[in-house]
Amino acid sequence: MQPKPMSLLCSLFLTTLPLGAAHAQNAGSAPAPPAVSTQGGASSVEPGVGEIMLTGVIQGLSADGKSLTLQATSFTLPGKPARAIQPSKLKTVLLAAPAVAGGASLQTGTRVQVVGQDAGAGKPLAARAIVALPEASLVSTLLEEAMATAAQIKEPGAKARALAAIGLAWARAGSLSDSQQQFSAAKQSALQISKPEDTAVVLRDVATAQAQAKDVAGSRQSFSEARQYVPQIKADTLKVSVLADLAVAQAEAGDSAGARQSFAAAQQIPGVIADIPSRTFSYCHLANAMAQAGNMAGARQMTLAAQQTCLQFNSGGPNNSRYWRDRMRGLAIVRTVIKTGSMAEAESIAAGITDDYMKSSAYWGIAATQAKSGSIAAALATAGRIEEEFPKSGALADIASSRAKAGNINGALQLMPQIDDDVHKSLVLQSIAITQAQANDFNTARATALQMTDAALKAETLSAVAVAQAKSGDAAAARQAAQQITDPYWKVATLSRMVEALLNTAR
């Protein structure tokens, strides 16, 4: 949702967890429903071919534990968004054995999701999988608090993203009307943004959340509305970046046709950009976006276009200095070549740069890539070739973060004295805190986060720690941690993601 601060060249580069269910065993009676299938240690409650998923509240269980009566409030078919059942209907669910889900026996009043073969209206549903959901009152409490907090957000873009996060959480909780209401409010907030490029970006983010909520039609409509703002953008370079990033979001949301259209529109623009540096950056942005969307052939083509554009400098002109050529090669092409070509090619380009700062920036990008791939020794050697202070600090921060993510917190801390920039230090501390939270060391993780000097990164990190605590099953402590987050956007994000964490934990 709200983008976090990114270091220059650091960016070289909501999934639903597998849902658990009770294991049904054949009790010897006929007809017995099929046994629960297990994938990756947890039973799937996503409906497969010919199946249906019902969400509702248990109204009663049979004395022998072989069936229950469900007050169904919504249903989900394979690959489709959930749809409300109005009015709700009673459904008999057949169980192979007394059902246990989420570590406790099911009972009247428990809210559940049930998956099984769709036998049609009026016929019992033989459960393949059944899971208990968190208490509806807890979900409602968290999301009502999130909505109240979102109302405090003044900036329309941040407010739109916050409302979209709430909409996604309501969808995950099975309340479609609440979800659609929040998505509608998010779009209305986005329309209050003054700059068309910002409106397009926020509508894109809302569309992404709608896609995650399985609202395919709503998502594609929002993507279309985002693109309608592109002609109003004055700067051609901004048009390219907005269209390219929109195409990536469409591709990741499954809208391949829309992605192709957005990429095609973006590719028409760089050729009319007269300024050589701007045209080069536009080709590089397209190359990185295409690589992210999986179109490596197109990405390579855009990389070569960037390199060829960079060489169109004629001697003597005011915009044709060697500095500009080196800047393009150092800050854009090297980063792009790493993603679409080879490390050897990137190192060759970096070696040919004459400007000291740009050469340092190029080696920063190379060191970051080496660290991300686990080649820490090679990354340190590359960082040792960097002479300028800021790029060197950035490279060491990337190496330290990679060490932290791999569990080597001491190794990350050893590099901290050599990192001079406060944002880079905060990025390293963020990686350390998240690693500590993943190890369920939540108090230490929070203490690490509180050392960060960058306010936005600190809020984001405290949010991640609270959500990790909710995932661990400690909802009470996670709620207490959420209350300590003062930034209203990140508080909304935390509460919304906590709902999803609690739902996944129950499953």
Side-chain angles (χ1 to χ4, degrees), residues 352-376:
I353 296 174
T354 56
D355 180 85
D356 289 340
Y357 191 90
M358 300 311 150
K359 183 187 285 286
S360 293
S361 296
Y363 280 128
W364 173 9
I366 292 170
T369 307
Q370 292 169 325
K372 187 175 181 180
S373 68
S375 301
I376 299 297

Side-chain angles (χ1 to χ4, degrees), residues 421-431 452-454 457:
D421 180 74
D422 285 342
V423 173
H424 290 143
K425 285 183 177 180
S426 290
L427 285 167
V428 175
L429 290 171
Q430 181 181 62
S431 297
M452 299 166 65
T453 56
D454 186 279
L457 283 171

Side-chain angles (χ1 to χ4, degrees), residues 383-396:
R385 302 167 71 177
I386 300 174
E387 297 180 0
E388 298 294 330
E389 183 177 299
F390 185 80
K392 191 177 192 74
S393 180
L396 290 171

Side-chain angles (χ1 to χ4, degrees), residues 404-441:
K405 291 172 184 176
N408 184 5
I409 292 176
N410 288 334
L413 291 172
Q414 287 172 4
L415 292 176
M416 286 290 281
Q418 302 176 55
I419 300 171
D420 298 321
D421 180 74
D422 285 342
V423 173
H424 290 143
K425 285 183 177 180
S426 290
L427 285 167
V428 175
L429 290 171
Q430 181 181 62
S431 297
I432 292 173
I434 290 174
T435 299
Q436 290 166 333
Q438 289 171 343
N440 292 341
D441 190 359

Side-chain angles (χ1 to χ4, degrees), residues 9 39 75 108 128 137 180 233 256 259 290 312 368 432 457:
L9 283 175
Q39 298 176 351
F75 71 94
T108 298
R128 170 178 68 79
S137 60
Q180 291 168 357
I233 300 173
S256 55
M290 287 182 170
Q312 291 177 17
I432 292 173
L457 283 171

Side-chain angles (χ1 to χ4, degrees), residues 16-24 36-46 53 99-104 106 111-115 127-134 500-507:
T16 304
L17 296 175
L19 303 178
H23 289 269
V36 175
S37 62
T38 302
Q39 298 176 351
S43 303
S44 170
V45 296
E46 292 294 332
M53 179 170 73
V100 178
L106 298 177
R111 189 163 170 268
V112 297
Q113 287 181 330
V114 182
V115 171
R128 170 178 68 79
I130 180 169
V131 295
L133 299 176
E500 183 171 0
L502 293 171
L503 290 167
N504 286 332
T505 300
R507 293 164 180 161

Side-chain angles (χ1 to χ4, degrees), residues 155-197:
E155 199 280 310
K159 187 170 188 175
R161 288 185 170 107
L163 291 169
I166 298 171
L168 175 58
W170 274 123
R172 299 283 203 224
S175 181
L176 304 184
S177 60
D178 286 314
S179 174
Q180 291 168 357
Q181 183 178 359
Q182 295 304 307
F183 281 131
S184 177
K187 292 175 69 172
Q188 289 300 314
S189 184
L191 297 181
Q192 297 174 23
I193 300 172
S194 59
K195 294 183 179 180
E197 56 267 31

